[in-house]
Amino acid sequence: MNLALVACIFGTLMAVQLPVMPDLDLLGKALPLAVLGACYANSRSLAALFLGLYLGLFSLDGRLAARLPVELVGETLLVWGTVASMPELRDRLQRFRFRVDRCEQCGRPLTVMLSQYDLQPVLPGERWRLLVRLNRPRGSVNPGLFDYQAWLLAQGIDATGYVLEGERLSASPAVPHQQLRSWLRQRLQAAMPMSRHAGLLLALSLGDSAQISPAQWRVLSATGTNHLLIISGLHVGLIAGLSLALLNGLLRPLRNARVWAYSLTLLVVGVYAGLAGLGLPVQRALIMLVCASALVTLRRHVTGLALWLYALLIVSLVNPLASLMMGFWLSFGAVFLLIYGFAGRRRQTPVVEAFPASTSGVLETLRATQIVSRWFAALLRSQWLVFFGMTPLLFYFVGQLAGLAFVANLVAIPLVGLIIVPLLLLALIAAPLSLLLTGILLRMAEQALHYLWVYLEALASLGWVHYAVEPHFTSLLLGVLGGLVVLQPAGFLPRWPGLLMMLPLALGATPSLPATGEAEITVLDVGQGLSVVVRVNGGNLLYDAGPSFSDRFDAGEQIVSPYLRRLGVEALDVFLVSHGDADHAGGAAAVSKNFQVGQQYLGELSSEGLQTSKIVKQQSSCREARQWRLGEVDFHLLGVGDFFARSANNQSCLLLVQAAGFSVLIPGDIEAETELALLSPTAEQLLPRVDVLIAPHHGSLTSSHPAFLNRLRPSAVIFSAGFRNRFEHPHSAIVARYEARSIQMFNTATDGAVVIKLGKTLEIHTSRSSYPRIWYD
């Protein structure tokens, strides 16, 4: 039976990995045969595999069909519906889930994620009439990075958008658990001490992580404690254990005391899970607890692995798209390692049994000592299992490993689990009764969290974080299998072969570099902005770092830096910041903090925030022409001198890359006047024909002058622009201008990141076509 469960689970996981949607009507015709096959032992596994695959594809097809119709994208719509989540509050911004049950143009109910600035506060369960502007779920697509569109799909979001205006209609009991969460948040905030840890306290008590600052997330990530300071399966297990121990003691005189204890524990944990927001780790822990309680109540014995499989199957059946989220793999992976690592361990005979009953004082002391020592030994082993066994998955999904996670969690887990979380639970219980008592409990929890945070910040400051190149599938598979061999129960197989199997992963994948004299140029998908990575055999160059809209979205921190790390880049030989506009220089400070920079060129030396770096050996202006070589590839800065009083756009660095007989021009945001200046007699020899042009100023109407294009005669042009951006880049007239010259066009808004390879031939690949997914449109 377990093999059939595994097959069904594998089928649901495989569904979301297919590049195209197969014919569901054709697959549906085989359903009766698959159901019949599930009744026979010989064909059960194969039938379960097909059923899991069909269910996953059916669910995915339904999610895709429920999305906002294409013709309504960007339109102003009047909608009626209910606030379905506790709003995320960030300064002047509110972000919440809204269930649209009436929309004359939509034709179907929708679940949308809305943002609004400086408007009336909303509460869960309220009915509103809103004037909104919506978009289909969409996100940046860059090789090896987070797929926001897939995450929205897994969350059941049919559209995203923002509120123009709204009117509150009434309240409704539609989402009682979210209403309770919102009310408790208000009570906690009213009683909460003024502290920089307030966001962490809310995350630990109600699963509201929106107010954790980016700086705090970096500390959590650097110490491997992300899982601990947001509500996870660990907290659910803690609540279950405390509740069960208390109820077993209180209900012991009753008949069927165990049944009552488990039933009431499920009720307590269910309420807590609802308050926590029912995230994926909480769902997994709750399902495992329900299965375990049912089997214990029925006096059926079941292994921990079987419980894990049942929970995995139920989560996969309830939401076949859950595997699109990283938390799915990390949560279930960690629990599997704990079950696997503790399997077959014999219960030791208590030392106290060797003492006579008369020595009761000594016996009790030894018993307490033994319990503490066993608990500490179990903590050490569990942390070792998770730290060692999760390394391959962390390398693959996160691209980094916190070297001090083991040390951090040894202190953090007892402190959070035994002190901070119980205090916060008492605060939640006290919140409806007394703000004074709630405040006292919160201050106690905050004080304990303060000491923990000092410890975590000290560990994070050491910088023991290993960033991994994206591993090859073979080394990843060997690493996972090797980890299982090393962590296996004693006496089954020798462990040393596992270490050898993990060696390729531990040594790290070797970055694939272009051949000498060749170049790889990636125009990243950073939305409405620009960032270009140039890799050669012997160096790396970055031109611009994308936009930064706030501390919540910084392309330099969330797109450019992770991409460089996945490539194995540890330092930048050259970093050009074309000019000071936020869509080009917004992410520059983050990149400069994360990487050493050899030479930095600035289009505007006076721009603030562009000169912050770990190490900048030299810093110069782009105003004057200069050239250099890296890996036998030629780089030219095309200076245009002082032909005119230049605007910020026209101060952009102009970079020409020449490799293997091909050339690419990156002109930043220059406009027609600079383009024409480059055509003057004094500049003529600096501006040769190019093969690929990064469109000046994202395809603005003020750039791409006909004479400029006639001189360059590129065979391809790449627009770096945001999807349906408010500037209407690239302008339709500019697109027509390129079309009239038979120039092949690419756009990061529709193609994702664009990779140009200058080698024996000129190759251009796009992320959306190279890494196809069913949900890409």
Side-chain angles (χ1 to χ4, degrees):
M1 177 59 73
N2 283 351
L3 186 59
L5 291 179
V6 172
C8 185
I9 293 166
F10 183 75
T12 61
L13 301 182
M14 189 169 61
V16 296
Q17 300 300 322
L18 298 179
V20 295
M21 178 68 73
D23 189 341
L24 285 181
D25 291 336
L26 183 62
L27 290 178
K29 295 177 180 178
L31 273 179
L33 186 62
V35 173
L36 181 64
C39 300
Y40 297 93
N42 292 336
S43 58
R44 183 172 295 138
S45 297
L46 185 61
L49 176 67
F50 177 84
L51 291 172
L53 176 64
Y54 182 83
L55 179 65
L57 290 172
F58 183 81
S59 177
L60 181 58
D61 184 64
R63 290 280 176 87
L64 295 175
R67 291 181 299 179
L68 181 75
V70 176
E71 60 271 16
L72 297 182
V73 170
E75 298 294 324
T76 301
L77 304 174
L78 185 62
V79 300
W80 288 258
T82 305
V83 178
S85 70
M86 184 172 68
E88 298 178 5
L89 306 176
R90 297 173 179 174
D91 300 324
R92 297 157 47 197
L93 171 69
Q94 289 187 96
R95 192 164 176 261
F96 57 94
R97 187 178 297 215
F98 191 73
R99 290 178 187 164
V100 177
D101 52 40
R102 181 184 169 192
C103 171
E104 295 178 358
Q105 300 97 320
C106 303
R108 66 174 76 101
L110 297 172
T111 299
V112 301
M113 185 66 74
L114 294 176
S115 300
Q116 67 174 19
Y117 293 87
D118 295 332
L119 296 175
Q120 300 179 60
V122 302
L123 293 174
E126 291 181 338
R127 286 193 55 78
W128 283 74
R129 179 171 57 237
L130 300 175
L131 195 64
V132 299
R133 195 162 288 161
L134 300 178
N135 194 5
R136 285 161 73 88
R138 197 172 186 87
S140 299
V141 179
N142 295 284
L145 299 189
F146 174 67
D147 190 339
Y148 182 60
Q149 187 172 343
W151 183 86
L152 289 172
L153 191 67
Q155 293 290 325
I157 303 299
D158 304 319
T160 60
Y162 56 93
V163 179
L164 299 173
E165 59 182 69
E167 177 186 1
R168 182 185 287 108
L169 300 177
S170 63
S172 73
V175 280
H177 71 290
Q178 295 289 4
Q179 290 173 309
L180 179 58
R181 291 182 73 211
S182 179
W183 183 81
L184 285 173
R185 181 172 67 178
Q186 292 176 357
R187 296 285 290 180
L188 292 182
Q189 287 175 329
M192 191 170 291
M194 297 299 295
S195 166
R196 67 188 183 111
H197 303 311
L200 295 169
L201 292 174
L202 284 176
L204 277 168
S205 55
L206 292 172
D208 178 17
S209 59
Q211 295 183 49
I212 298 179
S213 69
Q216 289 173 325
W217 278 121
R218 284 191 287 272
V219 171
L220 296 174
S221 178
T223 55
T225 51
N226 314 56
H227 68 100
L228 198 58
L229 291 183
I230 55 175
I231 293 180
S232 64
L234 175 66
H235 303 88
V236 175
L238 174 66
I239 300 303
L242 292 174
S243 175
L244 192 59
L246 179 62
L247 290 171
N248 270 329
L250 293 175
L251 302 176
R252 184 170 297 172
L254 299 180
R255 186 179 180 184
N256 297 323
R258 186 170 62 170
V259 175
W260 280 105
Y262 274 96
S263 301
L264 291 175
T265 295
L266 283 178
L267 179 61
V268 170
V269 173
V271 171
Y272 179 73
L275 293 178
L278 284 174
L280 186 63
V282 175
Q283 291 178 31
R284 185 263 307 152
L286 185 59
I287 291 171
M288 290 188 72
L289 182 63
V290 169
C291 293
S293 300
L295 292 168
V296 168
T297 302
L298 297 172
R299 301 184 182 276
R300 296 285 300 275
H301 175 73
V302 67
T303 63
L305 181 60
L307 274 179
W308 180 84
L309 280 173
Y310 289 139
L312 184 55
L313 176 65
I314 292 171
V315 169
S316 300
L317 293 177
V318 171
N319 183 7
L321 308 180
S323 63
L324 293 175
M325 294 185 287
M326 178 176 60
F328 173 89
W329 298 95
L330 298 183
S331 175
F332 278 101
V335 174
F336 172 80
L337 286 170
L338 292 174
I339 294 171
Y340 177 80
F342 279 97
R345 293 181 63 81
R346 295 179 181 176
R347 185 177 181 274
Q348 299 176 1
T349 303
V351 177
V352 295
E353 291 180 2
F355 287 80
S358 59
T359 57
S360 58
V362 175
L363 187 146
E364 291 299 328
T365 301
L366 287 176
R367 179 180 287 115
T369 304
Q370 191 177 49
I371 291 173
V372 171
S373 63
R374 285 183 179 178
W375 179 85
F376 189 70
L379 175 64
L380 283 173
R381 182 170 178 80
S382 64
Q383 287 309 300
W384 166 248
L385 288 170
V386 173
F387 177 77
F388 189 85
M390 290 294 288
T391 296
L393 289 181
L394 290 171
F395 277 173
Y396 181 75
F397 287 107
V398 185
Q400 70 178 58
L401 178 68
L404 294 173
F406 181 76
V407 177
N409 280 286
L410 282 180
V411 174
I413 286 180
L415 196 56
V416 171
L418 299 180
I419 298 176
I420 298 175
V421 168
L423 286 171
L424 290 175
L425 286 175
L426 292 174
L428 288 175
I429 295 171
L433 306 173
S434 168
L435 282 181
L436 177 61
L437 178 58
T438 304
I440 293 173
L441 292 167
L442 287 175
R443 278 189 288 273
M444 293 170 63
E446 191 273 340
Q447 192 63 33
L449 183 57
H450 168 75
Y451 291 120
L452 173 61
W453 199 253
V454 170
Y455 175 68
L456 295 181
E457 283 185 321
L459 293 180
S461 66
L462 298 176
W464 286 20
V465 180
H466 174 66
Y467 296 101
V469 178
E470 187 170 4
H472 300 297
F473 179 76
T474 304
S475 63
L476 176 66
L477 183 60
L478 281 174
V480 171
L481 295 177
L484 294 179
V485 171
V486 172
L487 300 176
Q488 66 178 308
F492 187 59
L493 290 173
R495 289 191 169 96
W496 63 265
L499 294 174
L500 294 180
M501 295 168 69
M502 295 189 74
L503 199 58
L505 186 68
L507 294 176
T510 303
S512 57
L513 296 172
T516 302
E518 300 181 357
E520 179 184 278
I521 302 173
T522 304
V523 183
L524 292 172
D525 181 6
V526 292
Q528 183 60 28
L530 179 66
S531 183
V532 184
V533 177
V534 183
R535 299 176 68 222
V536 299
N537 195 330
N540 303 283
L541 178 145
L542 177 65
Y543 183 104
D544 284 343
S548 176
F549 301 119
S550 67
D551 61 351
R552 298 291 174 176
F553 178 78
D554 184 329
E557 186 70 47
Q558 293 167 266
I559 296 177
V560 181
S561 293
Y563 180 74
L564 291 172
R565 286 166 176 157
R566 294 299 261 180
L567 294 177
V569 174
E570 297 179 354
L572 293 170
D573 296 270
V574 182
F575 181 20
L576 294 93
V577 182
S578 65
H579 62 300
D581 284 1
D583 57 334
H584 293 254
V591 171
S592 295
K593 289 177 182 177
N594 293 332
F595 298 92
Q596 294 182 358
V597 177
Q599 174 70 56
Q600 189 172 43
Y601 292 103
L602 303 176
E604 294 180 270
L605 284 174
S606 61
S607 296
E608 297 181 0
L610 302 186
Q611 303 181 35
T612 303
S613 178
K614 278 183 172 180
I615 298 177
V616 177
K617 294 180 180 178
Q618 293 182 343
Q619 201 168 63
S620 306
S621 170
C622 292
R623 184 177 294 267
E624 296 184 5
R626 64 188 75 216
Q627 63 182 37
W628 65 90
R629 300 197 87 193
L630 277 177
E632 298 188 17
V633 174
D634 294 315
F635 295 85
H636 302 268
L637 271 179
L638 307 182
V640 294
D642 292 314
F643 290 106
F644 46 83
R646 292 182 289 178
S647 63
N649 285 345
N650 284 314
Q651 293 184 55
S652 294
C653 303
L654 289 93
L655 179 67
L656 178 68
V657 183
Q658 294 178 315
F662 299 100
S663 58
V664 176
L665 180 63
I666 311 174
D669 273 0
I670 64 169
E671 297 175 331
E673 52 187 345
T674 299
E675 294 173 351
L676 294 175
L678 288 167
L679 304 180
S680 66
T682 58
E684 182 175 350
Q685 58 184 352
L686 296 176
L687 195 62
R689 178 190 178 277
V690 301
D691 297 282
V692 181
L693 172 66
I694 310 301
H697 201 183
H698 320 285
S700 165
L701 190 58
T702 61
S703 304
S704 299
H705 193 281
F708 184 66
L709 300 184
N710 292 339
R711 167 67 66 80
L712 296 178
R713 291 179 291 138
S715 57
V717 64
I718 299 170
F719 300 102
S720 180
F723 185 73
R724 300 186 66 90
N725 62 86
R726 61 190 178 92
F727 305 102
E728 298 184 354
H729 293 160
H731 196 280
S732 57
I734 299 301
V735 171
R737 192 173 294 173
Y738 283 103
E739 284 180 340
R741 289 163 176 77
S742 300
I743 298 173
Q744 187 179 13
M745 290 179 288
F746 301 90
N747 190 342
T748 58
T750 54
D751 297 315
V754 181
V755 181
I756 309 161
K757 294 186 177 180
L758 308 180
K760 295 180 181 179
T761 59
L762 171 64
E763 300 178 18
I764 301 179
H765 305 282
T766 67
S767 292
R768 288 183 181 266
S769 61
S770 299
Y771 308 94
R773 291 291 184 265
I774 293 176
W775 50 89
Y776 288 165
D777 50 11

